[in-house]
Amino acid sequence: MKRLLSVLALGLTLTAHGQVWKTLPQGVRILGYRNVTTSKVKSNYNQFRSETSLGSQFRIDANTLNSIGGNIIVPGQDINADAYNKFLVGEYKVDASAQFNVQGFGFGYGLTDRVMLYAEVAYYNAQVKTNIKRTKKNTYSDTSNIIQNGSGGPGDDTIAEALNNLPDVDESVIQSAITNHYGYQPIGDWYGAGYGDMETGLMTKLVDKGIWGLMLYPGMVLPTGRQDDPDILQDIGFGDGQLDLFAEIGIGYIENDYLNFGTTFRYTYQSATHKDLRIPESQDFSLSDRKGDFNVKYGDKLNWMVNSTFGFNDWLSFTPIYRFMYQLPSEYTSKYTEADGFLSNNSDKIEHQLQLTTSLSSIQPFLKKKFLLPAQINMNLVQTVGGKNVPKVGRFEIELRMMF
């Protein structure tokens, strides 16, 4: 869940959707506020890009015990192979869902007619609900019968009797093991609130030919957000804990007063940082009672956006938007070489999003001297429609921008 339920990207865009190269005139300010409510997140797109439940399913059988303990039972040698395959402590499912309410704040200032300084940050309220259910009970009796009906000697009878005396492992036992043996906080509902990472940078207009233009956005993301707690399985971080540097380029074209197009491309370099993490014992079993220091280099990110704005009149417009994100695999370096590989495996991400924005704006009437105040209200519907290792989530946003 920590790997797949990444924090939503909710930054404020302080320029008009289609006219991505436009900056504020010198001395002019812009304030932006956004309120975001997400749908209940119940599923994600897994490593095979198919939709799966947000919660996890796991089973404890002979293979699981061997992966934890290191071949403590060898089928055909220590135990009948059929009995080995039949043995099951139980199968379990962790039901999970999450929901966010986010308030974003942005500020921009025209340093010159071509350079604009901006900063933005979001405040998150998140709720996660989790519950453990057992979906299959143990097979101690069936496994014992296979052993007793085999051709083994007295040792098999001893194993069969021991199996019949094993304790049943229900949901409460799993919860107890998570808290008492592994040292995690109990699985259950979790609520968190706090600021996310802060983005700041310069929007620099390189080309302005009237009907088309080009802008460069250099900037950085500061690690001001709350990070994951390695002792809470169901929590969500609002930031990833390191400085990011990015460069974005935007190109726009105006067909006429009521139709324009824009596209942006951003490359983000995520610097390395040290984190105190749980040390996984195997690829398929992430719980661990040990923690260690890791040098973490999250994968660099590529973001691409394309949109077209259709104006109904000077006041009302509609903007369909497509967004694509790709994040390279992350790198973990520590003295726990095997664990580094477990954590790095399957850590790349892909996301496809569709958005429809309805805008009510007084900017064009203001420029035509028909209205006193340049402002804009946007209503955004956003939906993740595909990806890899990202949550499937929809959200509704109301956004206000004012210039003065």
Side-chain angles (χ1 to χ4, degrees):
M1 186 166 177
K2 287 180 180 292
R3 295 178 61 187
L4 299 183
L5 191 54
S6 57
V7 174
L8 304 177
L10 300 173
L12 291 168
T13 302
L14 298 177
T15 53
H17 284 297
Q19 300 176 33
V20 296
W21 79 94
K22 296 291 188 179
T23 58
L24 294 173
Q26 184 176 6
V28 175
R29 303 168 184 85
I30 183 171
L31 290 177
Y33 170 76
R34 179 182 296 180
N35 187 280
V36 181
T37 300
T38 72
S39 61
K40 189 170 289 187
V41 185
K42 294 184 177 180
S43 62
N44 56 62
Y45 294 100
N46 62 21
Q47 60 179 314
F48 305 109
R49 307 190 188 190
S50 59
E51 187 178 345
T52 58
S53 172
L54 184 63
S56 59
Q57 298 186 25
F58 62 96
R59 59 184 281 135
I60 302 177
D61 54 16
N63 287 326
T64 307
L65 297 176
N66 270 345
S67 67
I68 299 173
N71 293 329
I72 57 176
I73 302 175
V74 179
Q77 177 179 321
D78 301 322
I79 191 174
N80 182 288
D82 292 335
Y84 179 92
N85 294 327
K86 185 67 176 179
F87 178 76
L88 178 68
V89 175
E91 285 190 0
Y92 309 87
K93 180 180 180 181
V94 180
D95 287 328
S97 65
Q99 194 162 19
F100 297 84
N101 179 263
V102 186
Q103 298 181 73
F105 306 90
F107 172 78
Y109 179 75
L111 299 176
T112 72
D113 287 342
R114 287 184 171 270
V115 180
M116 168 180 152
L117 172 69
Y118 78 95
E120 55 192 40
V121 68
Y123 187 84
Y124 290 79
N125 285 276
Q127 185 175 28
V128 179
K129 294 185 176 182
T130 55
N131 183 39
I132 301 177
K133 297 179 180 179
R134 183 164 64 167
T135 57
K136 283 188 180 180
K137 295 185 177 181
N138 71 69
T139 60
Y140 300 159
S141 178
D142 293 340
T143 307
S144 176
N145 290 335
I146 293 174
I147 294 174
Q148 288 179 327
N149 294 330
S151 57
D156 285 346
D157 293 335
T158 302
I159 294 175
E161 183 179 357
L163 285 173
N164 286 324
N165 293 325
L166 285 176
D168 186 38
V169 180
D170 60 12
E171 297 91 336
S172 63
V173 176
I174 294 294
Q175 185 75 276
S176 177
I178 289 173
T179 56
N180 297 326
H181 176 70
Y182 291 105
Y184 295 97
Q185 294 189 23
I187 291 289
D189 295 347
W190 177 87
Y191 171 82
Y195 286 98
D197 289 347
M198 178 180 180
E199 178 178 317
T200 184
L202 297 173
M203 295 180 176
T204 306
K205 182 165 54 180
L206 300 180
V207 178
D208 188 350
K209 296 297 184 180
I211 63 170
W212 75 275
L214 175 68
M215 181 184 287
L216 177 65
Y217 300 61
M220 64 181 67
V221 179
L222 306 175
T224 56
R226 177 192 178 277
Q227 299 181 55
D228 282 337
D229 187 333
D231 297 331
I232 306 176
L233 290 170
Q234 68 271 26
D235 80 326
I236 299 172
F238 306 144
D240 49 17
Q242 83 288 322
L243 177 70
D244 295 345
L245 302 175
F246 67 84
E248 180 171 334
I249 190 168
I251 303 173
Y253 174 76
I254 300 175
E255 177 66 27
N256 53 51
D257 286 347
Y258 302 110
L259 176 62
N260 56 61
F261 305 92
T263 185
T264 62
F265 178 82
R266 174 183 290 199
Y267 182 87
T268 302
Y269 170 79
Q270 303 203 86
S271 59
T273 186
H274 284 274
K275 289 181 178 288
D276 190 35
L277 303 176
R278 296 279 178 159
I279 306 168
E281 303 295 339
S282 74
Q283 187 64 66
D284 302 318
F285 193 80
S286 59
L287 296 183
S288 173
D289 60 353
R290 298 187 300 146
K291 287 189 286 187
D293 181 68
F294 290 80
N295 185 69
V296 182
K297 168 66 175 71
Y298 291 122
D300 294 349
K301 291 193 290 186
L302 304 174
N303 293 83
W304 177 58
M305 181 278 296
V306 61
N307 68 55
S308 58
T309 298
F310 303 89
F312 185 75
N313 52 41
D314 283 349
W315 293 87
L316 181 64
S317 64
F318 303 92
T319 305
I321 301 171
Y322 167 74
R323 291 191 182 93
F324 171 78
M325 183 276 292
Y326 173 65
Q327 182 173 338
L328 280 69
S330 300
E331 300 175 1
Y332 294 79
T333 307
S334 71
K335 63 180 180 181
Y336 315 102
T337 306
E338 193 173 29
D340 293 338
F342 297 152
L343 291 169
S344 299
N345 182 63
N346 189 36
S347 58
D348 57 322
K349 297 178 182 179
I350 296 174
E351 185 174 48
H352 302 274
Q353 282 188 348
L354 295 179
Q355 175 175 329
L356 177 62
T357 295
T358 301
S359 298
L360 182 63
S361 173
S362 65
I363 295 176
Q364 286 299 324
F366 173 79
L367 294 175
K368 294 179 180 181
K369 299 182 179 180
K370 295 180 179 180
F371 197 77
L372 295 177
L373 178 68
Q376 187 177 56
I377 297 175
N378 296 327
M379 292 174 287
N380 308 321
L381 289 173
V382 187
Q383 179 65 52
T384 303
V385 295
K388 176 183 179 182
N389 293 335
V390 294
K392 181 181 180 181
V393 59
R395 64 184 192 251
F396 174 70
E397 308 173 350
I398 296 180
E399 183 180 72
L400 172 65
R401 304 170 185 172
M402 296 183 63
M403 286 179 280
F404 57 97

